[in-house]
Amino acid sequence: MSSKDRLLKVTFDEIYVNGYYATSVDKILKKAKMNKGSMYHFFKSKKELMLAVIDAHIFEYIDKKYGAILDTEGNYIDAMFEVLNNKESFNFTFGCRLNTLVQELSHQDKDFKVALEKVYTHFEGILEKVFLKAKANNEIEYEDIKGLAVFVVATIEGALSTAKKSQDGMHFETCMKQLKLFFESISKK
């Protein structure tokens, strides 16, 4: 792993657990075993470093986790629920990586808002493509596919926040069961 990649990963891990404002550059650099000169070689500020983390880690995480649904050879809705039912891929202690940052940063700074909104829009776009494929595959009957994607992302994020507040994955499971019931109601089968 390169020095820059190590710095991005440590920054992500520290901010995910402790928050952006509670995490000092010194703490990040100590964990990354780097000095300030090394950091400033790559990034002009903590904010620039955080924007790179959003792009490198958060965007990539969403893209990899949910984009894989598009590669299914079977039923797209079933593939989506396979991802959502994989409890080991979610953190019910710290919540969603994306939502945690949105809650802390998007109202504080326009650049953070834009970067995080870009990730949310990408997430919604992935699910919109999934639902368009599901509709073409005669899995669902629904007119407002874009609205459906926004609704499902909001449901996932809300379910993760509910689980986080209780520190209990059972709340997430309950929400996913309700989401599954909704999809059964729009199923063409």
Side-chain angles (χ1 to χ4, degrees), residues 6-8 10-12 14-15 18-41 43-50:
R6 185 171 71 247
L7 180 60
L8 289 168
V10 168
T11 301
F12 168 73
E14 287 301 309
I15 289 174
N18 301 305
Y20 177 77
Y21 294 106
T23 302
S24 69
V25 169
D26 289 336
K27 184 175 183 181
I28 292 167
L29 294 173
K30 184 176 181 182
K31 288 244 175 153
K33 299 180 179 154
M34 297 175 75
N35 60 43
K36 280 190 182 179
S38 298
M39 182 194 124
Y40 291 115
H41 172 73
F43 305 102
K44 294 177 187 169
S45 64
K46 179 182 174 186
K47 177 181 172 179
E48 190 176 292
L49 172 60
M50 188 64 219

Short mmCIF file of all heavy atoms in Angstrom, two decimals, residues 6-8 10-12 14-15 18-41 43-50:
data_model
loop_
_atom_site.label_atom_id
_atom_site.label_comp_id
_atom_site.label_asym_id
_atom_site.label_seq_id
_atom_site.Cartn_x
_atom_site.Cartn_y
_atom_site.Cartn_z
N ARG A 6 -2.33 4.61 2.38
CA ARG A 6 -2.34 4.36 3.82
C ARG A 6 -2.93 5.58 4.56
O ARG A 6 -3.75 5.44 5.46
CB ARG A 6 -0.93 4.05 4.33
CG ARG A 6 -0.91 3.66 5.80
CD ARG A 6 0.45 3.15 6.27
NE ARG A 6 1.42 4.23 6.35
CZ ARG A 6 2.50 4.35 5.58
NH1 ARG A 6 2.76 3.43 4.67
NH2 ARG A 6 3.33 5.34 5.72
N LEU A 7 -2.53 6.76 4.14
CA LEU A 7 -3.05 7.99 4.75
C LEU A 7 -4.56 8.10 4.55
O LEU A 7 -5.30 8.42 5.48
CB LEU A 7 -2.35 9.21 4.15
CG LEU A 7 -2.78 10.58 4.67
CD1 LEU A 7 -2.55 10.69 6.17
CD2 LEU A 7 -2.01 11.67 3.92
N LEU A 8 -5.04 7.80 3.35
CA LEU A 8 -6.48 7.84 3.08
C LEU A 8 -7.23 6.82 3.94
O LEU A 8 -8.29 7.12 4.50
CB LEU A 8 -6.75 7.59 1.60
CG LEU A 8 -6.36 8.72 0.65
CD1 LEU A 8 -6.41 8.24 -0.79
CD2 LEU A 8 -7.24 9.94 0.86
N VAL A 10 -6.29 5.34 6.84
CA VAL A 10 -6.26 5.70 8.26
C VAL A 10 -7.20 6.87 8.52
O VAL A 10 -7.95 6.87 9.51
CB VAL A 10 -4.82 6.02 8.72
CG1 VAL A 10 -4.81 6.67 10.09
CG2 VAL A 10 -3.97 4.76 8.73
N THR A 11 -7.20 7.85 7.64
CA THR A 11 -8.10 8.99 7.80
C THR A 11 -9.55 8.53 7.80
O THR A 11 -10.35 8.92 8.66
CB THR A 11 -7.87 10.03 6.69
OG1 THR A 11 -6.51 10.46 6.74
CG2 THR A 11 -8.80 11.22 6.84
N PHE A 12 -9.89 7.69 6.84
CA PHE A 12 -11.26 7.17 6.79
C PHE A 12 -11.61 6.45 8.08
O PHE A 12 -12.65 6.71 8.69
CB PHE A 12 -11.46 6.23 5.60
CG PHE A 12 -12.76 5.50 5.72
CD1 PHE A 12 -13.96 6.14 5.51
CD2 PHE A 12 -12.79 4.17 6.12
CE1 PHE A 12 -15.18 5.48 5.68
CE2 PHE A 12 -13.99 3.51 6.29
CZ PHE A 12 -15.19 4.17 6.07
N GLU A 14 -10.34 6.60 11.12
CA GLU A 14 -10.40 7.47 12.29
C GLU A 14 -11.64 8.37 12.27
O GLU A 14 -12.32 8.54 13.28
CB GLU A 14 -9.13 8.35 12.39
CG GLU A 14 -7.91 7.58 12.81
CD GLU A 14 -8.07 6.92 14.17
OE1 GLU A 14 -8.46 7.62 15.15
OE2 GLU A 14 -7.83 5.71 14.28
N ILE A 15 -11.95 8.93 11.12
CA ILE A 15 -13.09 9.83 11.03
C ILE A 15 -14.40 9.06 11.10
O ILE A 15 -15.38 9.53 11.70
CB ILE A 15 -12.97 10.72 9.78
CG1 ILE A 15 -11.83 11.72 10.02
CG2 ILE A 15 -14.28 11.42 9.44
CD1 ILE A 15 -11.46 12.58 8.86
N ASN A 18 -14.53 8.31 14.96
CA ASN A 18 -14.51 9.44 15.90
C ASN A 18 -15.14 10.73 15.39
O ASN A 18 -15.38 11.63 16.18
CB ASN A 18 -13.06 9.74 16.29
CG ASN A 18 -12.40 8.54 16.93
OD1 ASN A 18 -12.91 8.00 17.90
ND2 ASN A 18 -11.29 8.09 16.37
N GLY A 19 -15.38 10.83 14.09
CA GLY A 19 -15.92 12.06 13.53
C GLY A 19 -14.82 12.96 12.98
O GLY A 19 -13.67 12.89 13.42
N TYR A 20 -15.20 13.77 12.03
CA TYR A 20 -14.25 14.66 11.36
C TYR A 20 -13.68 15.69 12.33
O TYR A 20 -12.47 15.88 12.40
CB TYR A 20 -14.95 15.36 10.19
CG TYR A 20 -14.10 16.36 9.47
CD1 TYR A 20 -13.12 15.95 8.56
CD2 TYR A 20 -14.27 17.73 9.67
CE1 TYR A 20 -12.34 16.86 7.88
CE2 TYR A 20 -13.49 18.65 8.99
CZ TYR A 20 -12.52 18.22 8.10
OH TYR A 20 -11.75 19.13 7.43
N TYR A 21 -14.53 16.37 13.07
CA TYR A 21 -14.07 17.45 13.93
C TYR A 21 -13.35 16.95 15.17
O TYR A 21 -12.52 17.67 15.73
CB TYR A 21 -15.25 18.36 14.30
CG TYR A 21 -15.78 19.08 13.08
CD1 TYR A 21 -16.98 18.71 12.49
CD2 TYR A 21 -15.04 20.10 12.48
CE1 TYR A 21 -17.45 19.34 11.35
CE2 TYR A 21 -15.50 20.73 11.33
CZ TYR A 21 -16.70 20.35 10.78
OH TYR A 21 -17.15 20.98 9.64
N ALA A 22 -13.62 15.74 15.59
CA ALA A 22 -12.96 15.18 16.78
C ALA A 22 -11.63 14.50 16.43
O ALA A 22 -10.91 14.09 17.34
CB ALA A 22 -13.88 14.20 17.47
N THR A 23 -11.32 14.39 15.16
CA THR A 23 -10.09 13.70 14.75
C THR A 23 -9.07 14.74 14.29
O THR A 23 -9.31 15.48 13.34
CB THR A 23 -10.38 12.72 13.60
OG1 THR A 23 -11.37 11.78 14.03
CG2 THR A 23 -9.12 11.97 13.19
N SER A 24 -7.95 14.76 14.96
CA SER A 24 -6.91 15.73 14.61
C SER A 24 -5.99 15.15 13.52
O SER A 24 -5.86 13.93 13.37
CB SER A 24 -6.06 16.07 15.84
OG SER A 24 -5.28 14.95 16.22
N VAL A 25 -5.38 16.05 12.79
CA VAL A 25 -4.40 15.65 11.78
C VAL A 25 -3.25 14.91 12.46
O VAL A 25 -2.76 13.90 11.94
CB VAL A 25 -3.90 16.88 10.98
CG1 VAL A 25 -2.70 16.52 10.11
CG2 VAL A 25 -5.02 17.47 10.14
N ASP A 26 -2.85 15.38 13.63
CA ASP A 26 -1.75 14.72 14.35
C ASP A 26 -2.09 13.26 14.67
O ASP A 26 -1.24 12.38 14.54
CB ASP A 26 -1.42 15.48 15.64
CG ASP A 26 -0.74 16.81 15.38
OD1 ASP A 26 -0.12 16.97 14.29
OD2 ASP A 26 -0.83 17.71 16.24
N LYS A 27 -3.32 13.02 15.09
CA LYS A 27 -3.74 11.64 15.40
C LYS A 27 -3.72 10.77 14.14
O LYS A 27 -3.26 9.63 14.17
CB LYS A 27 -5.14 11.64 16.02
CG LYS A 27 -5.61 10.27 16.45
CD LYS A 27 -6.94 10.33 17.16
CE LYS A 27 -7.34 8.95 17.65
NZ LYS A 27 -8.62 8.94 18.32
N ILE A 28 -4.20 11.32 13.04
CA ILE A 28 -4.19 10.59 11.76
C ILE A 28 -2.76 10.25 11.37
O ILE A 28 -2.45 9.11 11.02
CB ILE A 28 -4.87 11.41 10.66
CG1 ILE A 28 -6.38 11.54 10.93
CG2 ILE A 28 -4.61 10.80 9.27
CD1 ILE A 28 -7.09 12.57 10.07
N LEU A 29 -1.89 11.24 11.43
CA LEU A 29 -0.50 11.04 11.02
C LEU A 29 0.22 10.04 11.92
O LEU A 29 1.02 9.23 11.44
CB LEU A 29 0.24 12.37 10.99
CG LEU A 29 -0.24 13.35 9.93
CD1 LEU A 29 0.42 14.71 10.09
CD2 LEU A 29 0.01 12.79 8.53
N LYS A 30 -0.06 10.09 13.21
CA LYS A 30 0.56 9.13 14.14
C LYS A 30 0.14 7.71 13.79
O LYS A 30 0.97 6.81 13.71
CB LYS A 30 0.16 9.48 15.57
CG LYS A 30 0.83 8.60 16.61
CD LYS A 30 0.48 9.03 18.02
CE LYS A 30 1.19 8.14 19.02
NZ LYS A 30 0.84 8.49 20.40
N LYS A 31 -1.17 7.51 13.55
CA LYS A 31 -1.65 6.16 13.19
C LYS A 31 -1.11 5.71 11.83
O LYS A 31 -0.89 4.53 11.61
CB LYS A 31 -3.19 6.14 13.17
CG LYS A 31 -3.79 6.20 14.53
CD LYS A 31 -4.54 4.94 14.81
CE LYS A 31 -5.04 4.98 16.24
NZ LYS A 31 -6.22 4.21 16.43
N ALA A 32 -0.96 6.66 10.92
CA ALA A 32 -0.45 6.34 9.58
C ALA A 32 1.07 6.22 9.56
O ALA A 32 1.65 5.83 8.54
CB ALA A 32 -0.90 7.38 8.57
N LYS A 33 1.71 6.58 10.68
CA LYS A 33 3.18 6.57 10.79
C LYS A 33 3.80 7.47 9.72
O LYS A 33 4.71 7.07 9.00
CB LYS A 33 3.73 5.14 10.73
CG LYS A 33 3.21 4.28 11.86
CD LYS A 33 3.74 2.89 11.81
CE LYS A 33 3.18 2.15 13.01
NZ LYS A 33 3.07 0.77 12.87
N MET A 34 3.27 8.68 9.66
CA MET A 34 3.74 9.67 8.70
C MET A 34 3.94 11.01 9.42
O MET A 34 3.41 11.23 10.49
CB MET A 34 2.70 9.86 7.58
CG MET A 34 2.46 8.60 6.75
SD MET A 34 1.13 8.83 5.55
CE MET A 34 1.94 9.83 4.33
N ASN A 35 4.70 11.89 8.76
CA ASN A 35 4.87 13.23 9.32
C ASN A 35 4.05 14.23 8.52
O ASN A 35 3.52 13.90 7.45
CB ASN A 35 6.35 13.62 9.36
CG ASN A 35 6.98 13.63 7.98
OD1 ASN A 35 6.38 14.11 7.02
ND2 ASN A 35 8.19 13.11 7.88
N LYS A 36 3.93 15.46 9.05
CA LYS A 36 3.10 16.46 8.40
C LYS A 36 3.58 16.78 7.00
O LYS A 36 2.77 17.02 6.10
CB LYS A 36 3.04 17.74 9.24
CG LYS A 36 2.06 17.63 10.37
CD LYS A 36 1.82 18.96 11.05
CE LYS A 36 0.86 18.73 12.19
NZ LYS A 36 0.57 19.93 12.92
N GLY A 37 4.88 16.77 6.79
CA GLY A 37 5.42 17.05 5.47
C GLY A 37 4.92 16.05 4.44
O GLY A 37 4.61 16.41 3.29
N SER A 38 4.81 14.78 4.85
CA SER A 38 4.31 13.74 3.95
C SER A 38 2.85 13.99 3.59
O SER A 38 2.45 13.86 2.44
CB SER A 38 4.44 12.36 4.60
OG SER A 38 5.79 12.06 4.84
N MET A 39 2.07 14.36 4.59
CA MET A 39 0.66 14.63 4.31
C MET A 39 0.51 15.82 3.38
O MET A 39 -0.23 15.77 2.40
CB MET A 39 -0.11 14.92 5.60
CG MET A 39 -1.60 15.15 5.34
SD MET A 39 -2.43 15.88 6.75
CE MET A 39 -3.13 17.32 5.98
N TYR A 40 1.24 16.89 3.67
CA TYR A 40 1.12 18.10 2.85
C TYR A 40 1.72 17.93 1.47
O TYR A 40 1.45 18.74 0.58
CB TYR A 40 1.67 19.31 3.60
CG TYR A 40 0.80 19.68 4.78
CD1 TYR A 40 1.26 19.58 6.09
CD2 TYR A 40 -0.52 20.10 4.58
CE1 TYR A 40 0.44 19.90 7.17
CE2 TYR A 40 -1.34 20.41 5.65
CZ TYR A 40 -0.85 20.32 6.93
OH TYR A 40 -1.68 20.63 7.99
N HIS A 41 2.48 16.89 1.28
CA HIS A 41 2.95 16.56 -0.07
C HIS A 41 1.76 16.13 -0.94
O HIS A 41 1.71 16.42 -2.13
CB HIS A 41 4.00 15.44 0.01
CG HIS A 41 4.41 14.90 -1.31
ND1 HIS A 41 5.21 15.59 -2.20
CD2 HIS A 41 4.11 13.73 -1.94
CE1 HIS A 41 5.38 14.88 -3.29
NE2 HIS A 41 4.72 13.73 -3.16
N PHE A 43 -1.77 16.51 0.20
CA PHE A 43 -2.98 17.30 0.44
C PHE A 43 -2.62 18.62 1.12
O PHE A 43 -1.78 18.65 2.01
CB PHE A 43 -3.96 16.51 1.33
CG PHE A 43 -4.28 15.16 0.76
CD1 PHE A 43 -3.69 14.02 1.28
CD2 PHE A 43 -5.16 15.03 -0.30
CE1 PHE A 43 -3.97 12.77 0.75
CE2 PHE A 43 -5.45 13.78 -0.84
CZ PHE A 43 -4.85 12.66 -0.31
N LYS A 44 -3.31 19.68 0.73
CA LYS A 44 -3.04 21.01 1.27
C LYS A 44 -3.63 21.21 2.66
O LYS A 44 -3.19 22.08 3.41
CB LYS A 44 -3.60 22.09 0.34
CG LYS A 44 -2.91 22.15 -1.00
CD LYS A 44 -3.57 23.19 -1.88
CE LYS A 44 -2.97 23.11 -3.27
NZ LYS A 44 -3.71 23.91 -4.25
N SER A 45 -4.65 20.42 2.99
CA SER A 45 -5.35 20.63 4.26
C SER A 45 -6.08 19.35 4.67
O SER A 45 -6.24 18.42 3.89
CB SER A 45 -6.37 21.76 4.10
OG SER A 45 -7.37 21.38 3.16
N LYS A 46 -6.57 19.36 5.90
CA LYS A 46 -7.40 18.25 6.40
C LYS A 46 -8.66 18.13 5.55
O LYS A 46 -9.10 17.03 5.23
CB LYS A 46 -7.74 18.51 7.87
CG LYS A 46 -8.63 17.44 8.50
CD LYS A 46 -8.94 17.81 9.94
CE LYS A 46 -9.94 16.86 10.57
NZ LYS A 46 -10.34 17.31 11.93
N LYS A 47 -9.23 19.26 5.17
CA LYS A 47 -10.43 19.25 4.35
C LYS A 47 -10.16 18.59 3.00
O LYS A 47 -10.95 17.75 2.54
CB LYS A 47 -10.94 20.68 4.13
CG LYS A 47 -12.15 20.76 3.24
CD LYS A 47 -12.59 22.21 3.04
CE LYS A 47 -13.65 22.31 1.99
NZ LYS A 47 -14.11 23.69 1.79
N GLU A 48 -9.06 18.95 2.36
CA GLU A 48 -8.73 18.33 1.07
C GLU A 48 -8.51 16.83 1.23
O GLU A 48 -8.93 16.04 0.38
CB GLU A 48 -7.48 19.00 0.48
CG GLU A 48 -7.21 18.59 -0.95
CD GLU A 48 -6.02 19.34 -1.55
OE1 GLU A 48 -6.13 20.56 -1.76
OE2 GLU A 48 -4.98 18.67 -1.78
N LEU A 49 -7.87 16.44 2.32
CA LEU A 49 -7.68 15.02 2.63
C LEU A 49 -9.04 14.33 2.77
O LEU A 49 -9.27 13.25 2.21
CB LEU A 49 -6.86 14.87 3.91
CG LEU A 49 -6.70 13.48 4.51
CD1 LEU A 49 -6.03 12.52 3.54
CD2 LEU A 49 -5.92 13.57 5.82
N MET A 50 -9.97 14.96 3.49
CA MET A 50 -11.29 14.37 3.69
C MET A 50 -12.05 14.26 2.39
O MET A 50 -12.73 13.25 2.14
CB MET A 50 -12.08 15.20 4.71
CG MET A 50 -13.38 14.55 5.12
SD MET A 50 -13.09 13.00 5.98
CE MET A 50 -14.41 12.02 5.31
#
